Amino acid sequence: AIEWNDMDPTLLLLTAFQEDWTFDVFLYSGKEEEINTMPLEDPFPKWFGKQDIITVDVPEHPLDGGELLLYDYVSGKEERLGLPGVVSFDTNEERLLTAQINDEEDVDYKITLQDGTLLSSWTMPAVSNYSEWVFPELSWIADTTVFMPSASKGGQLDDLGDPYQLVRVEDGHQDVLLDHIPAGILRCSPNGELCLTGYQAEKMIEPTKQNETTWLIDSE
């Protein structure tokens, strides 16, 4: 796993897995030209600002979610953010997106600042694969705008077939851009005019025109 710092491109988090799935998290500093091991128990940390790193306290039952932890790599201090039941999270510079399952078993999303200020919130159907909740990759476009796949209804992933729509969420308001997108990664340009999807980024989408093109073809 590789995680760049959005605000300082000389900082990089690297996760190396062993054959038995144990792992080490390293911090590489391009300015210092040093690489050091980080005392993190989550293999997929996220940067939150210039020097803070967010991880999740791995829950005993993945469906229950965990609590987010904030680690300052400069001081070495760690604190709990008081956000239990987080089943997925992402960051963009100094903004934090969290996902929690509500009583109706839908997903409540929130985007907040480092001081806890709420920027936007919305709800989407939840999808699981029996043992854990499933969250396809999202792409940040602006401070409170994200492109993300969303199921039209909740349920088990195997029962939904090809469930995902491409949705633009802006200040909590949802707009369906495409009724179907292929599974896999999602990478969108900063202006949101082009996105790459598919397992090998082989599909190019123009969301505003609702056009999809296969721009990479497997020679085999």
Side-chain angles (χ1 to χ4, degrees):
I2 301 174
E3 183 71 18
W4 289 97
N5 188 307
D6 295 325
M7 303 181 71
D8 185 349
T10 68
L11 295 174
L12 182 66
L13 290 171
L14 301 162
T15 304
F17 287 91
Q18 310 299 325
E19 291 182 359
D20 61 358
W21 292 107
T22 57
F23 62 89
D24 293 300
V25 180
F26 301 94
L27 170 63
Y28 174 74
S29 172
K31 291 179 181 178
E32 306 296 334
E33 295 187 352
E34 291 181 351
I35 187 166
N36 296 294
T37 305
M38 292 287 98
L40 303 177
E41 297 184 5
D42 180 355
F44 304 112
K46 298 282 187 180
W47 287 106
F48 193 27
K50 288 187 177 181
Q51 66 185 53
D52 288 330
I53 299 169
I54 287 189
T55 63
V56 63
D57 187 4
V58 181
E60 182 178 354
H61 302 290
L63 289 173
D64 295 336
E67 185 174 359
L68 294 186
L69 307 174
L70 186 69
Y71 177 75
D72 184 329
Y73 85 89
V74 176
S75 67
K77 294 181 179 179
E78 185 177 69
E79 62 178 295
R80 294 183 176 271
L81 292 182
L83 291 172
V86 174
V87 291
S88 182
F89 72 98
D90 200 6
T91 59
N92 181 41
E93 296 186 351
E94 296 178 316
R95 288 165 291 278
L96 169 65
L97 182 149
T98 57
Q100 296 167 297
I101 304 299
N102 62 28
D103 292 339
E104 287 73 37
E105 292 198 345
D106 290 324
V107 188
D108 288 336
Y109 289 95
K110 295 179 181 178
I111 296 178
T112 57
L113 294 175
Q114 283 186 313
D115 62 3
T117 300
L118 178 65
L119 297 180
S120 66
S121 62
W122 67 95
T123 300
M124 286 180 165
V127 176
S128 75
N129 65 359
Y130 298 97
S131 62
E132 62 183 357
W133 301 105
V134 178
F135 292 94
E137 194 169 3
L138 60 86
S139 187
W140 291 82
I141 304 300
D143 292 356
T144 58
T145 302
V146 294
F147 281 15
M148 56 192 304
S150 173
S152 58
K153 62 179 181 178
Q156 300 295 332
L157 182 63
D158 291 343
D159 298 333
L160 297 179
D162 296 323
Y164 292 114
Q165 303 169 321
L166 180 60
V167 177
R168 178 180 60 221
V169 183
E170 185 172 2
D171 297 325
H173 179 72
Q174 302 177 44
D175 289 315
V176 177
L177 302 178
L178 287 168
D179 288 327
H180 168 75
I181 60 172
I185 69 168
L186 178 64
R187 296 283 192 278
C188 297
S189 60
N191 60 12
E193 293 183 1
L194 288 174
C195 295
L196 298 180
T197 65
Y199 290 113
Q200 298 178 333
E202 72 277 8
K203 301 288 186 180
M204 182 170 63
I205 292 175
E206 297 177 272
T208 57
K209 298 180 181 179
Q210 296 191 336
N211 289 337
E212 179 183 298
T213 304
T214 302
W215 75 288
L216 287 180
I217 300 176
D218 191 342
S219 59
E220 297 180 357

